[in-house]
Amino acid sequence: MTEQKKMAETAYLALDEKKGEDIKIIEISEISVMADYFVISNGNNITQVQAMVENVQEKMHQAGFALKRTEGNRSSTWVLLDYGDVVVHIFDREDRLFYDLERIWSDGKQITVEDLQLR
């Protein structure tokens, strides 16, 4: 498993651990130089969004992956965590529906966490 895949898997599992809803992994390496993967999820409220953010940061740090940049803060309804090759987007439900990143990045390939483990 490549480092990028391990990063995406770690982020996915951290979101899942905090009951992130509808977690999606989009492989964008063939359509963008920005990153290799987007990991997208949402929570039900600001408290859950913040818990998801903190868990992703903790698990990624424990795995040795350095956070390069964060957009959003403790009261944000959309937080972006940039790990270089993997970008994690954590929304509240309403903002996720409004921004609809899955549609915007529909040229990317939606994959599962199992796909990451098999490749």
Side-chain angles (χ1 to χ4, degrees), residues 30-100:
E30 294 182 12
I31 61 169
S32 176
V33 297
M34 179 184 326
D36 290 336
Y37 298 97
F38 278 170
V39 182
I40 305 168
S41 187
N42 66 273
N44 289 310
N45 54 52
I46 296 293
T47 304
Q48 185 183 10
V49 168
Q50 190 56 42
M52 293 164 62
V53 168
E54 290 171 2
N55 202 46
V56 169
Q57 290 174 323
E58 179 182 336
K59 299 297 184 184
M60 295 292 270
H61 177 75
Q62 288 173 353
F65 303 124
L67 180 63
K68 301 198 181 323
R69 184 172 157 176
T70 302
E71 293 291 332
N73 57 41
R74 295 189 72 75
S75 63
S76 294
T77 56
W78 178 6
V79 177
L80 180 149
L81 303 171
D82 183 355
Y83 288 92
D85 293 326
V86 174
V87 178
V88 182
H89 298 271
I90 305 170
F91 292 92
D92 74 358
R93 183 179 293 140
E94 191 173 303
D95 277 5
R96 183 173 184 181
L97 291 171
F98 179 79
Y99 290 105
D100 198 8

Side-chain angles (χ1 to χ4, degrees), residues 11-20 23 52 55 58-59:
Y12 179 98
L13 295 174
L15 293 166
D16 188 54
E17 188 174 288
K18 292 298 178 182
K19 309 295 185 221
I23 306 169
M52 293 164 62
N55 202 46
E58 179 182 336
K59 299 297 184 184

